[in-house]
Amino acid sequence: MKRKIFFIALMMVVRAISVSAQEDWKLQKDKDGIKVYSAEVPDSKIRAIKVVANYDATPEEIAGIVMDINTSQEWVSHLKSTYLVKRVSQNELYYYAELNLPWPAANRDFVAHLTRSENVQTRVITIDGPAVAGFVPEKKGTVRISNSVGKWIITPLDNNQVHVEYALHVDPAGSLPSWLVNMFSGETPMQIFENLRQELKRSAQQNTTAMLTSNNTK
């Protein structure tokens, strides 16, 4: 029964982020082609966040980075540690992450369930990543996040570009005041999208180096 209630609540939050909040998004930041929006969520003091930007990449390249837990510390801000908990398939996995928060706040951690799907007609890739309970025991001194939903929507554009949209609503739990969370909620998403641009360049350089090395050894 509890799982059913949690599922219904989760779906309500997802709907608030992806549907009803669309007309209520307010621009918070606009820098270097990256825009951060916020919106009120029913029955929550924490605002939802949406980040959008275009990248010189393919949908598969963006999705590959998002789904690669081994490289997530290269571009996800404030990520202290992360590891794969369970891989169900190429398009589904569970992972653990711990986030560094500035003193005196305690670090937060969570287990997320990533699922990737693709529309074969539009080539739009969607990656859902809600927090889930269980899998990893709670750690002393770290606050467990259990209420979090996030979604990546990766849409191909012309000229080998993609439009990337990431929407997130998270309750950080613990004693952090909501006004403080909302005040700084735009900073980390902006940093993540800036880092993602650099991660794409790094990945492209590695692929080029690997190709050159392979050709030289033939």
Side-chain angles (χ1 to χ4, degrees):
M1 184 65 180
K2 290 183 178 180
R3 293 187 64 182
K4 183 177 180 181
I5 294 173
F6 173 77
F7 178 77
I8 293 173
L10 180 65
M11 291 302 100
M12 290 176 64
V13 174
V14 171
R15 181 173 176 80
I17 292 176
S18 61
V19 180
S20 63
Q22 286 181 354
E23 297 179 357
D24 300 324
W25 289 114
K26 296 179 180 179
L27 183 64
Q28 276 192 283
K29 295 180 179 295
D30 186 349
K31 177 183 176 184
D32 297 331
I34 302 171
K35 295 182 178 181
V36 180
Y37 300 84
S38 67
E40 302 295 331
V41 174
D43 301 320
S44 176
K45 295 181 180 180
I46 307 298
R47 299 191 192 105
I49 294 296
K50 180 175 70 172
V51 198
V52 297
N54 293 348
Y55 294 95
D56 294 321
T58 65
E60 291 76 16
E61 287 173 326
I62 298 291
I65 290 175
V66 174
M67 296 291 291
D68 186 0
I69 304 306
N70 294 326
T71 62
S72 55
Q73 285 182 264
E74 300 287 341
W75 61 280
V76 179
S77 302
H78 306 299
L79 188 57
K80 178 181 179 180
S81 64
T82 184
Y83 60 84
L84 180 68
V85 175
K86 179 182 179 181
R87 179 173 293 280
V88 180
S89 68
Q90 183 178 357
N91 295 318
E92 182 180 4
L93 59 86
Y94 296 82
Y95 75 93
Y96 168 88
E98 180 179 347
L99 303 174
N100 261 326
L101 267 67
W103 186 89
N107 284 357
R108 264 57 178 172
D109 70 353
F110 60 88
V111 176
H113 180 199
L114 286 188
T115 54
R116 166 182 166 168
S117 60
E118 181 175 356
N119 186 310
V120 294
Q121 295 180 332
T122 64
R123 292 182 55 229
V124 173
I125 295 176
T126 301
I127 300 175
D128 286 301
V132 294
F135 289 94
V136 176
E138 295 188 19
K139 186 166 54 174
K140 185 178 181 180
T142 302
V143 178
R144 175 62 51 89
I145 293 175
S146 58
N147 185 6
S148 173
V149 290
K151 174 179 287 188
W152 295 83
I153 301 176
I154 307 164
T155 305
L157 303 174
D158 295 331
N159 302 320
N160 197 39
Q161 282 197 324
V162 291
H163 178 76
V164 180
E165 175 181 314
Y166 179 57
L168 173 71
H169 181 256
V170 55
D171 182 348
S175 59
L176 288 177
S178 58
W179 63 265
L180 183 62
V181 175
N182 289 328
M183 182 183 297
F184 293 101
S185 61
E187 296 291 341
T188 298
M190 176 68 74
Q191 292 174 3
I192 288 175
F193 267 53
E194 290 173 343
N195 294 344
L196 179 57
R197 184 173 288 148
Q198 298 303 316
E199 181 64 15
L200 282 167
K201 293 179 180 179
R202 188 184 70 84
S203 179
Q205 291 173 348
Q206 285 185 338
N207 291 337
T208 299
T209 301
M211 289 177 61
L212 290 174
T213 302
S214 177
N215 290 334
N216 289 335
T217 57
K218 290 182 179 179

